[in-house]
Amino acid sequence: MSWFRWFHRENDERQLRKEVEAHLAERVDDLREGGLSDAEARRQARREFGNAVLHLEDSRQVWHWRWLDDMRRDVRYSASTLARRPGFSAVAILTVALATGVSTALFSVIDAAILRPLPFPRPEEIVGASIETRREGFEDRPLHPSPSPSDMRRWRNAGVFSALAAWNSRGEGVLEGPVPERARVRDVSEEYFQLHGVVPRLGRDFTAADTIAGAPAVMILSHAYWQARLGADPDVVGRTIRYDGTPTQVVGVLPAGVHPDVTVWRPMRVDPARADNRGSSGTVFGRLRPGLHREDAERLLSSITPVGDARSPTGEAQRLGARVRLASVQDETVATYSTTVGILAAAVSLIVLIACVNLAGLLLARGATRHPELAIRVSLGAGRLRLIRQLLIESLVICLAGCAAGVLLAGLSLDGLLAILPMRLPASAVPSLSPGVLSAAVGLALTTGLVVGLVPAVRLSRVDLARPPASRSGLSLSRRAGQALIAGEVAMAVVLVLAAGLMIRSFSRLTSVDLGFDPDAVIAFNVLPLEREPSPQRRYYSELLDAIRALPGVGAAGAVDYFALSGTFAGTVASADGRTVAMSRRQILPGYLEAMGVRTRQGRFPVPADGGRVAVLNESAAKALFPNGALGQQFTMGGPFSVVGVVADFTHGGPSGRRSAEAYVPFDPAAVIGMTAGMTVVVRPARWTASLGDMLRQTAEGIGPRVLVDPVRPGREWFGDRVATPRHRTVLLGLLGALGLSLTLVGIFSVTAFAVARRTQEIGVRMAFGARPGAAVWHVVRDAIVPVGLGLAAGLAVAFFATRVIASFLFETTPTDPVTFVTGAVMLLAAALLAAWLPARRAARIDPVVALRAE
Amino acid sequence: MPAPDRPDLFPGALELMVLQTLRLGPLHGYALTQTIKRTSDGLVHVEEGSLYPALQRMLKAGWLAAEWGMSARNREVRIYRLTPAGRKQLEKKLSSFERLLAGIIKIVRPVQS
């Protein structure tokens, strides 16, 4: 038998069927001519022919492809069975689709975050190297200075690494290509790209010569920038582009996909005079030589690493030896995601389980209505295994259809889901529906179809022909089994709903924190003049603020280097009267405190006429520096300042930020600390107009010749950035909770609907004996409520312990928050009642006469 | 699956009867059963349940060929005819059948007399 033949099987089968029909018709004609009536002739012909189905199978068996053939027929038969029951099929397929959809999305995240977080060759060889030293008397508080250039030189010579490199993130600077724009920069040592197995696509890698202080400024550009801004110019190497005001020569272009978030790569500079200083090299990575154990390398490196560095002050406590620690970068990267991924996986597993329970309930419930069909198949000679196979194939068909829909769903929603993923994945680890992810999804669907389909299939195949189809109880979904399914589903849904509820409660607490100012009352945007000299900067900002204040609808306007809602600050120290206090310093242009709506406690806000040496302290700073009154006092913070005012504390860095000592001093471009974003202009509108944003932007662009203006955004959006991660967690867990709840409600609905159908006669009898319709409905609902109650109790007990895993994500909310538990339980109970009541209403409409006649 | 109760006296009898009947001319399935019934004066009744699988077997073995044609009642039917291979097979079967029959008769007759 050839494949060709098999493809013609359908044709063969049709021929055989046609042949048998002709046979029967001929016989009927003969019998009629012999004097039988039409109906009698037909009946006799059939009887004579015997078991037509079996003959067809016997005839076909000759062709040996029986098994494959049956399979094909089963699949076709299943598809048509499913098509005949669109309601059931839609619910079943949708159930599987939702479960597959979320799991596929989760698989893609696991695939990206856990399985291949580092897109480099042999990532397991890459280790982060750090030094651990302790001081006498402080043994419990080890120091971890970053290795000095001399340490790195020693380690390179030790021969344990095939490459050793350091890198420092330097934030963003302005890259003045065809259009000036902010660009993320990373400073790296030589061997950095070699360590990661990256070879520049154009030009060259950095060499040791590039890293010597005073060497010409060079950079390597990202592939994306080269493509998008430089038109993939093949002659770009050798060109000079200004970066942060410094003309910098392009020496190379990276291949696509290497740290896509970094645009500019510069050589890390080493000052030979400071080569022994620890603590300034940033992060040090090494690639261990193949076959070398981490512990052996640690021992070797520790033995050649000096205890202290050149700067260790003589007066300092004795250092107690240095240990070199090597940690797998891959493990550490994965560890940062493990909590979030673990929680997501747990939530998704619950949803998959709920979906499985749902599917099993649906299959069993539907099975009862199929008893006649199955009985006919048995009487036609179908064996039990044959029936089980048929039923299993049906559940597989459902699961595969659901899987296809789910993968489609995941594909469509993946970008949306990634946008609310509450963790930062490496820019190069982008979750996608890779072949691995897709095969995992199909594997899950097949497993689900087999495992979930098996019990119903075995039960349903136990067709007893001697028993009248009417007595179906025990055959498919018994009352007990239905109740057990409901209880299990509810218990799992409770955990999901409570986790979501806790996140929502925590988030609402987080967003209702009193910051000390109203984010809704301000709009803010970053402005950065490209001219970096102090005087044009100073001139630009004061002109800008004057112009803004002249705009219609503006109440107050000012500017600050580190905006309260930006999440950044410049930490320094201030001292006065022998006290030294950790201080966050914010440079402001007059009008900022007014625009923020900050309350004055003492004194006044600064004005332009004050000059550069005045300061406003917040209450925390005033109390810490001057317990006896701060007004008019002097303190030192990089220079002398006199206090002209004290303002109320307000929270920086968003609602989970801290209120600490703050000093507001006049803008001084020469004393800027690590500022690359420019100043943030803060405007408090007297009245809101739609065009204010555009006017602000035009004003900012119109004043200076060369200036970068970021989008103008309301304070609420800046606030939103600060709570993005908790919001994403809340939305994601909320979605998963809603999904679990909906699936459970569908489950309760379908099991109850089935119970009504199964008990039609019983209810009919009750009503015939005078039960009121309301009582009949209650009777059905009660059957659902008991397991809901049990499931609820079990779920609450589990949640009491399980919600602990999200404790670290909760803001001022305990993982067993009683309000959430009670609200969640009541809501779930109400929803479950509704889901049971809707189908139960049908019980009230049962006509006793019709119900009893059906017997 | 329960095996249908075959009317064969011995394995191959059905094939033998079909081949022999078709030697007289092509027939469709129903006509085959009727012809066999008539020829045997109603003593042999071919069950359809055995006939069609047997026909498929013989088609596959190449003893028969089939094509669609019209019955006497102008109905579309599949008409089977003997192939040369089938004819050869029939000869072989017939001679072995005759030997078998002769043997059986020798065994059965003394008891009867």
Side-chain angles (χ1 to χ4, degrees):
Chain A
M1 168 79 37
S2 64
W3 277 103
F4 175 79
R5 202 81 182 84
W6 189 74
F7 284 119
H8 288 76
R9 290 313 320 270
E10 191 163 343
N11 197 25
D12 285 354
E13 193 177 327
R14 206 177 301 136
Q15 289 198 6
L16 203 53
R17 225 173 261 285
K18 198 164 140 195
E19 191 174 6
V20 168
E21 274 161 19
H23 182 112
L24 284 170
E26 292 273 325
R27 182 65 187 151
V28 168
D29 285 352
D30 268 2
L31 290 167
R32 259 207 316 244
E33 281 159 20
L36 288 183
S37 78
D38 195 45
E40 279 170 332
R42 234 171 256 286
R43 217 169 303 139
Q44 169 140 10
R46 281 217 174 264
R47 198 163 48 238
E48 282 177 4
F49 197 90
N51 194 335
V53 178
L54 210 57
H55 296 328
L56 284 182
E57 294 204 341
D58 275 0
S59 307
R60 219 176 312 106
Q61 198 163 21
V62 171
W63 297 107
H64 289 313
W65 282 91
R66 176 91 190 272
W67 185 83
L68 194 56
D69 215 33
D70 282 350
M71 193 81 155
R72 202 177 57 123
R73 228 154 22 94
D74 281 351
V75 169
R76 254 197 2 217
Y77 182 78
S78 304
S80 70
T81 309
L82 292 175
R84 272 203 304 278
R85 294 183 173 82
F88 160 80
S89 313
V91 172
I93 290 174
L94 190 67
T95 297
V96 178
L98 290 173
T100 321
V102 288
S103 355
T104 307
L106 176 76
F107 289 154
S108 71
V109 170
I110 291 179
D111 178 48
I114 309 286
L115 299 183
R116 46 177 183 89
L118 305 176
F120 310 117
R122 300 185 312 284
E124 66 283 352
E125 290 174 1
I126 303 181
V127 292
S130 63
I131 297 174
E132 182 181 288
T133 67
R134 286 164 207 273
R135 284 170 301 169
E136 203 176 331
F138 301 92
E139 283 86 354
D140 55 332
R141 270 184 288 165
L143 303 171
H144 294 100
S146 71
S148 68
S150 301
D151 289 327
M152 288 179 65
R153 182 175 42 76
R154 270 189 287 271
W155 294 352
R156 279 201 181 106
N157 293 338
V160 296
F161 297 114
S162 58
L164 183 71
W167 62 271
N168 250 333
S169 178
R170 295 286 183 204
E172 285 183 338
V174 177
L175 183 58
E176 297 181 47
V179 186
E181 63 192 302
R182 292 186 207 286
R184 189 161 288 282
V185 63
R186 185 174 274 198
D187 290 356
V188 300
S189 71
E190 79 264 32
E191 288 190 14
Y192 177 89
F193 293 116
Q194 182 196 331
L195 184 150
H196 291 95
V198 172
V199 177
R201 188 197 152 111
L202 288 182
R204 63 169 177 89
D205 197 349
F206 294 135
T207 62
D210 292 317
T211 64
I212 295 166
V218 294
M219 64 181 162
I220 293 178
L221 291 174
S222 75
H223 188 264
Y225 184 86
W226 176 63
Q227 292 250 305
R229 295 286 186 267
L230 304 176
D233 177 7
D235 299 323
V236 70
V237 172
R239 258 177 73 178
T240 295
I241 301 176
R242 272 164 67 96
Y243 180 76
D244 253 2
T246 309
T248 308
Q249 194 186 36
V250 179
V251 295
V253 172
L254 288 184
V258 183
H259 280 290
D261 54 333
V262 177
T263 302
V264 173
W265 300 82
R266 294 187 306 191
M268 186 183 271
R269 294 302 166 86
V270 175
D271 180 353
R274 297 156 62 96
D276 282 340
N277 293 2
R278 283 184 182 149
S280 54
S281 296
T283 311
V284 175
F285 283 173
R287 185 183 277 279
L288 283 177
R289 287 194 189 280
L292 196 60
H293 285 294
R294 216 166 58 207
E295 292 76 17
D296 296 337
E298 279 183 342
R299 256 193 303 280
L300 176 65
L301 294 177
S302 299
S303 71
I304 57 165
T305 302
V307 172
D309 67 8
R311 281 189 308 174
S312 298
T314 39
E316 201 189 72
Q318 182 63 44
R319 297 226 176 189
L320 293 175
R323 260 209 67 185
V324 174
R325 290 207 176 267
L326 303 178
S328 158
V329 170
Q330 184 163 255
D331 292 352
E332 292 200 330
T333 310
V334 167
T336 57
Y337 312 125
S338 57
T339 311
T340 300
V341 169
I343 288 169
L344 286 182
V348 168
S349 309
L350 283 179
I351 286 175
V352 170
L353 278 177
I354 291 177
C356 286
V357 171
N358 248 5
L359 189 61
L362 282 166
L363 288 173
L364 283 169
R366 199 223 12 191
T369 64
R370 295 184 62 182
H371 184 272
E373 173 206 335
L374 296 176
I376 287 169
R377 285 176 71 85
V378 168
S379 59
L380 288 183
R384 180 148 183 228
L385 278 175
R386 189 78 181 65
L387 274 198
I388 292 181
R389 193 177 68 186
Q390 168 67 44
L391 291 165
L392 269 184
I393 284 179
E394 275 188 38
S395 66
L396 280 178
V397 166
I398 290 172
C399 284
L400 286 177
C403 175
V407 166
L408 195 68
L409 203 67
L412 292 176
S413 60
L414 192 60
D415 285 346
L417 282 175
L418 294 182
I420 57 167
L421 202 62
M423 56 191 190
R424 252 184 76 99
L425 291 176
S428 47
V430 182
S432 63
L433 300 183
S434 63
V437 169
L438 290 181
S439 43
V442 173
L444 179 75
L446 286 176
T447 316
T448 310
L450 284 176
V451 171
V452 173
L454 195 61
V455 175
V458 169
R459 287 189 71 135
L460 292 175
S461 67
R462 223 177 279 146
V463 175
D464 184 354
L465 291 177
R467 202 164 41 175
S471 66
R472 298 172 193 136
S473 48
L475 174 67
S476 59
L477 185 61
S478 67
R479 182 170 158 229
R480 263 302 141 69
Q483 290 185 326
L485 291 182
I486 289 184
E489 277 192 313
V490 169
M492 291 187 276
V494 169
V495 178
L496 281 175
V497 165
L498 288 183
L502 286 170
M503 294 306 298
I504 292 169
R505 185 160 169 81
S506 152
F507 190 68
S508 82
R509 287 218 163 127
L510 184 64
T511 49
S512 56
V513 163
D514 179 14
L515 299 177
F517 65 96
D518 180 7
D520 288 319
V522 296
I523 48 184
F525 59 105
N526 292 335
V527 174
L528 178 61
L530 297 185
E531 202 51 70
R532 289 308 184 81
E533 294 305 308
S535 63
Q537 289 234 2
R538 216 190 292 271
R539 196 165 54 242
Y540 174 84
Y541 284 116
S542 73
E543 277 176 30
L544 173 62
L545 288 177
D546 286 344
I548 287 175
R549 289 190 192 104
L551 290 176
V554 171
V560 63
D561 55 353
Y562 294 99
F563 181 38
L565 286 172
S566 70
T568 51
F569 68 98
T572 179
V573 289
S575 48
D577 303 342
R579 287 189 190 82
T580 298
V581 171
M583 187 76 81
S584 102
R585 187 197 72 168
R586 298 188 197 256
Q587 293 198 344
I588 60 171
L589 284 152
Y592 171 66
L593 294 169
E594 291 90 326
M596 291 294 282
V598 179
R599 288 174 287 271
T600 328
R601 290 283 186 249
Q602 281 176 302
R604 57 175 178 83
F605 292 141
V607 292
D610 281 334
R613 309 268 38 121
V614 299
V616 170
L617 298 180
N618 71 356
E619 280 181 312
S620 298
K623 228 171 273 166
L625 270 180
F626 307 107
N628 305 319
L631 213 57
Q633 301 283 344
Q634 301 276 324
F635 68 95
T636 318
M637 188 172 64
F641 291 96
S642 61
V643 180
V644 297
V646 176
V647 295
D649 285 1
F650 60 98
T651 311
H652 286 81
S656 51
R658 284 188 316 134
R659 295 189 175 200
S660 51
E662 300 265 344
Y664 304 94
V665 300
F667 176 52
D668 179 4
V672 160
I673 303 177
M675 185 185 71
T676 53
M679 295 288 274
T680 306
V681 174
V682 181
V683 175
R684 188 181 197 87
R687 57 186 154 78
W688 288 93
T689 55
S691 57
L692 188 57
D694 290 337
M695 285 195 295
L696 288 172
R697 188 182 169 80
Q698 281 159 14
T699 309
E701 279 170 349
I703 287 174
R706 281 153 45 79
V707 60
L708 272 184
V709 182
D710 288 351
V712 179
R713 302 196 304 150
R716 182 50 58 178
E717 272 185 35
W718 287 82
F719 179 85
D721 291 351
R722 299 278 70 75
V723 295
T725 303
R727 186 177 63 237
H728 292 165
R729 282 189 199 119
T730 307
V731 171
L732 200 55
L733 276 183
L735 278 177
L736 293 177
L739 195 56
L741 180 61
S742 327
L743 286 175
T744 301
L745 296 182
V746 167
I748 295 174
F749 184 98
S750 55
V751 168
T752 313
F754 166 69
V756 174
R758 183 170 53 87
R759 298 170 59 188
T760 302
Q761 281 135 26
E762 178 207 327
I763 296 167
V765 171
R766 282 169 191 274
M767 288 172 72
F769 281 99
R772 283 176 299 106
V777 172
W778 166 240
H779 192 69
V780 174
V781 171
R782 198 186 52 196
D783 262 8
I785 286 311
V786 172
V788 167
L790 287 175
L792 198 58
L796 285 171
V798 172
F800 189 82
F801 296 99
T803 49
R804 213 163 283 175
V805 298
I806 57 167
S808 61
F809 295 158
L810 296 177
F811 178 81
E812 289 177 8
T813 308
T814 64
T816 53
D817 181 55
V819 176
T820 308
F821 270 56
V822 170
T823 318
V826 168
M827 196 188 78
L828 209 144
L829 192 63
L833 263 172
L834 186 69
W837 178 71
L838 285 176
R841 281 179 315 166
R842 220 181 299 160
R845 293 200 293 270
I846 288 174
D847 181 343
V849 181
V850 176
L852 293 178
R853 195 173 289 154
E855 188 80 46
Chain B
M1 197 167 302
D5 189 16
R6 289 173 192 274
D8 302 21
L9 287 173
F10 52 89
L14 179 61
E15 275 89 347
L16 185 62
M17 288 189 289
V18 169
L19 291 170
Q20 176 68 21
T21 310
L22 286 178
R23 191 155 68 165
L24 308 173
L27 286 172
H28 56 85
Y30 179 65
L32 252 176
T33 63
Q34 296 307 302
T35 308
I36 290 173
K37 200 167 160 185
R38 219 170 32 239
T39 317
S40 67
D41 292 333
L43 289 176
V44 175
H45 172 71
V46 176
E47 274 208 359
E48 288 84 346
S50 311
L51 174 67
Y52 283 99
L55 285 174
Q56 295 288 327
R57 269 197 303 276
M58 288 188 278
L59 269 182
K60 195 192 166 203
W63 304 345
L64 302 183
E67 57 194 25
W68 287 89
M70 287 296 165
S71 75
R73 291 197 180 84
N74 211 21
R75 185 171 277 123
E76 221 187 328
V77 290
R78 182 139 62 161
I79 297 170
Y80 296 88
R81 66 181 163 77
L82 214 54
T83 61
R87 203 172 293 274
K88 214 174 283 169
Q89 189 65 27
L90 176 61
E91 304 299 341
K92 234 165 55 191
K93 278 195 180 251
L94 268 181
S95 63
S96 69
F97 170 64
E98 276 159 10
R99 276 203 304 278
L100 180 64
L101 197 61
I104 290 174
I105 289 171
K106 274 179 191 155
I107 294 163
V108 172
R109 194 169 281 155
V111 181
Q112 268 186 345
S113 58

